[in-house]
Amino acid sequence: HITLKEDSKALDEVVVVGYGTQKKVNLTGSVSSVKFDEALENRPITNASQALSGKISGVWVSQNSGKPGSDGAQLRVRGWGTLNDTNPLVLIDGVEGDFNQINPNDIESISVLKDAASAAIYGSKAANGVVMITTKMGTKDEKNQVNFSSYFGVQSLGRRVNLINNSAEVMDVFNVAKVNGGSSILFPENMINNFRNPTDPFKYPSTDWYKTLFRSALIHEHNLSIRGGTKKTSSFLSFNYLNQEGIVPNTNSERYGVRGNIEFDVNEWLKVGSRLNYMRRTNNEPYDLGRVFGMLQGVSPFTAPYTSSGRFGSVQAIDENGVLLYDNRNPLIDAAKGKSANTTDMMALNVFAQINFTKDLILKTTFSSNGDWALTDAYNENIYGYTDTGVETITKNFNREGLDMSRTQMSSLRNNFYATLNYAKSFNQQDVALTAGTQLESY
């Protein structure tokens, strides 16, 4: 027998809503909130968007990529929209931003405005919901608290396709398929027997390519924060470093971040404050990471990863005339073929002033500037695979004449100024709240 009890304390909880806060008891819209408690802070998440997974009803979270530096989750609030961008609007301390530019350990809480009534104040940008992130801040008359957290871990492939890795067995299957299709066999019986009873692993390989390509990759993150306050000030300062290797060779990512939040009571009626966040992210990967996985899909176990001399290997199914009977699709070659290096700097600054005309009438003005600058250098190169007899081969569909190198620079800057005038008062146990505001934006 299950009995539900009313939790009246939850109704007094204050949640962040459009341009302010409200008690849950007064909410008419659908708003959910998540506080970053110890359990969330101890999750080894590399992108703040991952923190919402399984935490809020009506919010669908899917991490579609595990690539270091590009592992943000896709968010959908109450399903998919039908026009244009279906991502929710993300606000960081009231200013439009992005999950990629914030350190998860700097977050105090996240509110999600899920319906039209709660999100309407932000206009058409909020058509797919609003995610409001509030960062940490010290409290007045609080002794300085220093917090350091660190973790080390090992990443490995969680799931894999169960493939036949015995070369002789694969050759037999190929031959059966050829005969069933009305053709002659592809691999002669004496070749199959050599692979069935191998005398040299380089000449007669049976390669498990999932085990060969994917590796155990290290990850470690370190966070240092200082929060506190005096009679008139409150502050929060943090430093962050993340280093993540990828499970595919030659992939890795580094992230450096610093945040400074401060608020100061000039006098009884004027408060000023600022938020400054800077983050640099560097990502490295092969020139064409997609080709690595493309080659993995078709590589044969009778392809050697390396030759006995340490060079990249090739197909070892060779007929008596020296002709390769299968394409070389060694994915290790494409994992080493060139490089794509991306460096992104992100900086967000907002300053505000709050004037309390009375305890019920408050004016707040905010100016914010949010920019990111991304530089990508990429090049590819000719790398060959070799058979045990020294025959030089290229990987399938690789154009050896299509060498390329490029530099791409992209930057954006969004400036915002907005002012809001809020009035809130209780009359005979009835709460009345009014908000008026204006906003100017350049992008």
Side-chain angles (χ1 to χ4, degrees):
H1 298 281
I2 299 174
T3 303
L4 298 180
K5 291 184 178 181
E6 180 181 327
D7 185 4
S8 58
K9 293 180 181 179
L11 297 177
D12 290 327
E13 181 182 345
V14 175
V15 296
V16 179
V17 294
Y19 297 108
T21 59
Q22 281 191 18
K23 287 186 177 180
K24 274 192 173 181
V25 71
N26 295 329
L27 283 176
T28 57
S30 180
V31 180
S32 296
S33 61
V34 175
K35 291 191 178 297
F36 269 58
D37 54 13
E38 185 176 339
L40 264 180
E41 288 183 343
N42 286 331
R43 292 169 75 179
I45 56 178
T46 55
N47 188 287
S49 59
Q50 302 164 10
L52 292 177
S53 179
K55 289 294 182 180
I56 297 180
S57 62
V59 176
W60 181 80
V61 181
S62 175
Q63 184 183 337
N64 298 327
S65 170
K67 186 168 69 172
S70 302
D71 50 5
Q74 189 178 52
L75 270 63
R76 293 294 179 265
V77 178
R78 290 187 169 177
W80 291 68
T82 55
L83 294 174
N84 302 323
D85 188 359
T86 55
N87 293 315
L89 173 67
V90 177
L91 300 174
I92 303 174
D93 291 326
V95 177
E96 186 173 346
D98 189 273
F99 276 112
N100 292 321
Q101 64 184 152
I102 187 167
N103 172 23
N105 285 272
D106 291 344
I107 297 176
E108 183 75 37
S109 65
I110 297 179
S111 289
V112 181
L113 314 184
K114 294 187 284 187
D115 66 345
S118 58
I121 196 168
Y122 292 107
S124 61
K125 285 186 176 182
N128 298 291
V130 181
V131 178
M132 307 187 71
I133 301 172
T134 302
T135 59
K136 293 177 180 177
M137 174 60 74
T139 57
K140 294 183 178 65
D141 288 326
E142 178 186 27
K143 291 183 179 180
N144 285 337
Q145 297 181 12
V146 179
N147 183 71
F148 178 76
S149 62
S150 181
Y151 72 80
F152 295 83
V154 178
Q155 306 158 105
S156 59
L157 189 66
R159 294 180 181 180
R160 54 162 291 174
V161 180
N162 188 20
L163 300 176
I164 301 174
N165 297 314
N166 183 282
S167 294
E169 188 175 351
V170 170
M171 289 177 176
D172 282 333
V173 172
F174 261 104
N175 283 348
V176 170
K178 286 288 188 180
V179 172
N180 290 343
S183 302
S184 57
I185 63 172
L186 179 62
F187 303 103
E189 191 61 31
N190 64 326
M191 178 184 294
I192 296 177
N193 288 331
N194 289 334
F195 278 92
R196 186 172 287 118
N197 303 292
T199 57
D200 185 337
F202 294 101
K203 194 171 184 179
Y204 306 109
S206 285
T207 309
D208 183 341
W209 276 104
Y210 274 80
K211 186 180 294 186
T212 301
L213 176 65
F214 296 108
R215 62 181 181 177
S216 295
L218 296 176
I219 179 173
H220 56 97
E221 183 177 12
H222 316 280
N223 287 277
L224 173 66
S225 65
I226 305 171
R227 64 192 302 174
T230 64
K231 289 184 177 181
K232 290 192 172 184
T233 64
S234 56
S235 62
F236 175 79
L237 179 65
S238 75
F239 304 91
N240 167 260
Y241 174 72
L242 170 69
N243 188 304
Q244 181 181 12
E245 290 183 345
I247 61 174
V248 174
N250 303 314
T251 58
N252 63 78
S253 176
E254 279 188 303
R255 186 186 72 202
Y256 309 82
V258 59
R259 169 173 288 275
N261 296 348
I262 188 168
E263 294 181 0
F264 176 63
D265 290 339
V266 179
N267 49 45
E268 293 182 354
W269 55 270
L270 176 62
K271 179 169 74 173
V272 296
S274 68
R275 307 281 193 272
L276 174 64
N277 181 58
Y278 170 77
M279 183 174 290
R280 163 168 280 202
R281 189 190 301 271
T282 59
N283 302 327
N284 296 300
E285 62 184 61
Y287 175 80
D288 190 347
L289 187 59
R291 269 187 61 89
V292 177
F293 294 101
M295 294 299 102
L296 178 65
Q297 298 308 310
V299 66
S300 65
F302 42 83
T303 299
Y306 301 97
T307 66
S308 57
S309 60
R311 296 189 295 184
F312 286 115
S314 184
V315 175
Q316 287 300 131
I318 308 171
D319 68 12
E320 56 187 12
N321 297 318
V323 177
L324 273 64
L325 300 180
Y326 196 80
D327 298 311
N328 184 21
R329 307 189 191 196
N330 186 341
L332 291 173
I333 295 178
D334 285 281
K337 193 176 291 181
K339 183 179 181 181
S340 177
N342 172 269
T343 300
T344 302
D345 293 282
M346 294 166 281
M347 179 174 287
L349 168 68
N350 77 66
V351 293
F352 73 87
Q354 179 176 305
I355 301 174
N356 300 332
F357 295 110
T358 68
K359 66 176 183 178
D360 306 317
L361 186 63
I362 299 174
L363 172 67
K364 184 176 181 180
T365 60
T366 300
F367 172 78
S368 70
S369 184
N370 195 333
D372 64 81
W373 299 266
L375 179 68
T376 302
D377 287 333
Y379 68 91
N380 65 351
E381 55 185 315
N382 283 329
I383 296 181
Y384 303 96
Y386 296 87
T387 66
D388 183 69
T389 56
V391 176
E392 184 179 87
T393 63
I394 60 173
T395 52
K396 181 177 173 63
N397 294 335
F398 179 70
N399 179 10
R400 72 180 75 198
E401 305 301 328
L403 293 179
D404 178 53
M405 57 182 175
S406 64
R407 164 165 286 187
T408 305
Q409 198 279 332
M410 298 180 65
S411 60
S412 67
L413 185 65
R414 184 187 302 275
N415 294 320
N416 262 294
F417 173 82
Y418 64 87
T420 55
L421 185 65
N422 289 283
Y423 177 78
K425 194 172 180 64
S426 295
F427 299 94
N428 298 325
Q429 296 184 340
Q430 297 295 320
D431 294 330
V432 176
L434 301 173
T435 298
T438 185
Q439 178 173 346
L440 300 173
E441 178 179 326
S442 66
Y443 177 71

